[in-house]
Amino acid sequence: MSEPRKLEVLRAIVEDYVHSREPVGSKALVERHHLGVSSATIRNDMAVLEEEGLIAAPHTSAGRIPTDKGYRLFVDRISQVKPLSAAERRAIHSLLEGPDDVDDILERTVRLLSQLTNQVAVVQYPHSNRALVRHVEFVLLAPKQVLVVLIADTGSVGQKVIEAGSDTSNEALMLLRSRFLGNIAGTQLALLPQVLPSVVALCPPELRSLAQTLAHGLQSLSDTSREERILMAGTANLARSNVDFPLSIGPVLEALEEQVVMLRLLSDMGDDPRGVTVSIGRENPYDGLAEASVVATGYGSGAKVGILGPTRMDYPTTMAAVRAVARYLSRILGG
Amino acid sequence: MSEPRKLEVLRAIVEDYVHSREPVGSKALVERHHLGVSSATIRNDMAVLEEEGLIAAPHTSAGRIPTDKGYRLFVDRISQVKPLSAAERRAIHSLLEGPDDVDDILERTVRLLSQLTNQVAVVQYPHSNRALVRHVEFVLLAPKQVLVVLIADTGSVGQKVIEAGSDTSNEALMLLRSRFLGNIAGTQLALLPQVLPSVVALCPPELRSLAQTLAHGLQSLSDTSREERILMAGTANLARSNVDFPLSIGPVLEALEEQVVMLRLLSDMGDDPRGVTVSIGRENPYDGLAEASVVATGYGSGAKVGILGPTRMDYPTTMAAVRAVARYLSRILGG
DNA sequence: TGTTAGCACTTGGGCATGTTGAGTGCTAAA
DNA sequence: TTTAGCACTCAACATGCCCAAGTGCTAACA
């Protein structure tokens, strides 16, 4: 058997199966694709493919379906990313051009991506390493409760309520606010952990403890709050794509609800700067996603966008959509 | 037939069906509940109930299942709200006592409620009519782009990016900020629409247009941004509860994703201050929820909490959980 | 008048059986 | 290496059958 034809057969099987949702047999293959050989030859090739673990037969006399490994090879070596249709490009343009809030943009992005791919779309809040401190605000909510607000020049706003060890006055907060602001305005968020201690040291001794608490709050706002959130849309697509045969949708929904799981999933995926990364079926670190694939890529300075869907998905088109959306996102939000 | 027994039969049918998921017949009924009569009598009663549209038979020789109308009567007249178990009370206490962020509290609330009821939990952001303006911030993001931040004394933070008509300087924003702050600090958010115009009028003519834009931004932050958001958790429960027979889960997921739909749904439900409100099956204004019920109630100053699940749910227990959670929420967030 | 026992009737679900068609693997020839 | 041919396998579907659960009705009963 010739190597190129073998790949061609695999490609045909994947495409047909994705399209029809049914195991594909040798005869149907030669009819739909004009490979220049007979069904018997295809059968031989299929036997080899099966031996190599690239395809499998649900039962003795049914067609073959791709295995995770088969999809993997398909994605890595065969499929070429399809260009988006003009209509899709237009959709991306028009939906993402409104120059609004970061939150707004992200929300529209997931929506768009889920509609484009008919899958569940997920986006991580952008990394803001290079963001600078714009403003700091301390608001006294209760005698021992302070709301800490950190505003970056990128337009992202972080907030957190913290507990003060002892009663606090508005005056003290005013004072501390100007101290902090004077010293860290314009500083990179990423550098806060290094800068904050010295600011605390400058504060009057009687406020030192409060300052320490506030600094701690600011720091946690700077590194975690934003980057560790995700947004998603299109969960209804899960139900749609599995209308006939029951992929267990439950575990998938559970995974989607656990932000921690999704975040780990996304960050575990290599950050291939050339293109999108695909994680197929059991390659996923989470058991509930054994029948699902994730297609994701980075945008901006390292955060992820992507989709999640059944292993049986149209990889070329999906990958194209994810890549395109990520590019626009990078452009809009800046590197 | 005696009226009280008829109701008793309906109650028994509902309870058995909720529990077993299977149509319940006359014989099984007399066995499991010690009504003092024979199955034949029950059959007669059932015939009457069916005539009144309270129960229905899937096919000729199967048991009966409650109709929407049957559930309605059950909820309105029969079921008495069950007290929560001690364990459940404890769960509510411990999970909601951490004195954190509003967002934090709400997030934990939906989680708790979904676990308590095994349904999808939904909570609307609290109405903050009585909240006072604590702070206002304008941040220049780009020459024509300003981030408007509004902080209330309740700890809620609203933010929005707006487009300025012409180039803007930091100095101008500084000036406007202090003007605004001086005039509206301490004002009720709900009163902003009345107060803001006069503030704008006080600004220097050359900044009047910008001030107008900013005021508009503040106003939209005050009335809409927070109250029109919802949080939800437990969508995976949808899949679980319908594992055997396929309630079309797709439309429900779609509804859940559309915040607008959910918001309307919640606010359309009467604001019965005495207890929880239930909307059953086709009573729901949204078609996709024809096989679902919503159990909700108000908390704080009018926002809603509730759950969504299949019509075949354990109403008494669910209602108890919703009510209990709402009470705690009111207590924590203050009226 | 309401309740009960008895009985004929309906019907979905389970089961055993038969049939069909798609698809395979193998062999022998080209 | 490819191909035609053929025996074989097996899920899916259909058919017929029986059974159990459940109903509605009628006639007797308290």
Side-chain angles (χ1 to χ4, degrees), chain B residues 8 48 131 188:
Chain B
E8 189 63 16
V48 177
Q188 283 189 29

Side-chain angles (χ1 to χ4, degrees), chain A residues 44 51 58 85 87 97 102 135 148 164 187 201 221 283 288 298 318 327:
Chain A
N44 290 333
E51 209 164 302
S85 77
E97 72 187 353
V102 179
H135 194 77
V148 178
T187 309
L221 280 177
E283 292 175 8
T318 306
R327 281 187 185 158

Side-chain angles (χ1 to χ4, degrees), chain B residues 6-27:
Chain B
K6 208 180 68 183
L7 292 184
E8 189 63 16
V9 169
L10 176 59
R11 196 182 59 80
I13 292 177
V14 170
E15 284 176 1
D16 275 21
Y17 180 62
V18 164
H19 177 258
S20 71
R21 301 182 169 189
E22 270 164 19
V24 23
S26 55
K27 199 175 169 190

Side-chain angles (χ1 to χ4, degrees), chain A residues 214-230:
Chain A
L214 294 174
H216 194 266
L218 284 174
Q219 186 170 330
S220 72
L221 280 177
S222 73
D223 53 28
T224 66
S225 73
R226 302 241 100 202
E227 308 183 3
E228 301 216 333
R229 283 183 56 204
I230 56 176

Side-chain angles (χ1 to χ4, degrees), chain A residues 233-254:
Chain A
T235 40
N237 291 325
L238 274 184
R240 180 135 35 91
S241 67
N242 302 316
V243 64
D244 6 275
F245 82 107
L247 168 130
S248 39
I249 185 178
V252 180
L253 282 175
E254 276 170 24

Side-chain angles (χ1 to χ4, degrees), chain A residues 98-259:
Chain A
D100 268 289
D101 226 341
V102 179
D103 302 71
D104 250 359
I105 291 176
L106 292 183
E107 203 152 313
R108 277 185 315 206
T109 302
V110 275
R111 246 166 220 252
L112 170 64
L113 190 53
S114 76
Q115 282 168 8
L116 235 42
T117 60
N118 272 315
Q119 314 284 7
V120 184
V122 179
V123 63
Q124 187 179 5
Y125 268 73
H127 290 181
S128 41
N129 316 344
R130 296 172 204 157
L132 308 180
V133 174
R134 186 69 178 224
H135 194 77
V136 167
E137 195 66 36
F138 302 138
V139 181
L140 193 61
L141 300 177
K144 292 189 181 183
Q145 232 180 28
V146 181
L147 174 70
V148 178
V149 181
L150 177 63
I151 306 178
D153 65 342
T154 54
S156 85
V157 178
Q159 42 165 313
K160 186 185 173 80
V161 176
I162 62 165
E163 295 293 302
S166 53
D167 281 12
T168 304
S169 71
N170 255 320
E171 291 68 34
L173 285 180
M174 285 293 199
L175 176 64
L176 288 178
R177 190 192 74 143
S178 57
R179 278 291 161 86
F180 274 93
L181 204 46
N183 283 283
I184 67 173
T187 309
Q188 284 188 28
L189 293 195
L191 296 180
L192 280 184
Q194 286 133 64
V195 178
L196 283 173
S198 65
V199 180
V200 173
L202 289 176
C203 294
E206 68 275 18
L207 295 180
R208 194 73 48 84
S209 144
L210 176 60
Q212 180 59 48
T213 314
L214 294 174
H216 194 266
L218 284 174
Q219 186 170 330
S220 72
L221 280 177
S222 73
D223 53 28
T224 66
S225 73
R226 302 241 100 202
E227 308 183 3
E228 301 216 333
R229 283 183 56 204
I230 56 176
L231 229 54
M232 83 183 89
T235 40
N237 291 325
L238 274 184
R240 180 135 35 91
S241 67
N242 302 316
V243 64
D244 6 275
F245 82 107
L247 168 130
S248 39
I249 185 178
V252 180
L253 282 175
E254 276 170 24
L256 286 172
E257 275 207 346
E258 286 304 324
Q259 301 225 341

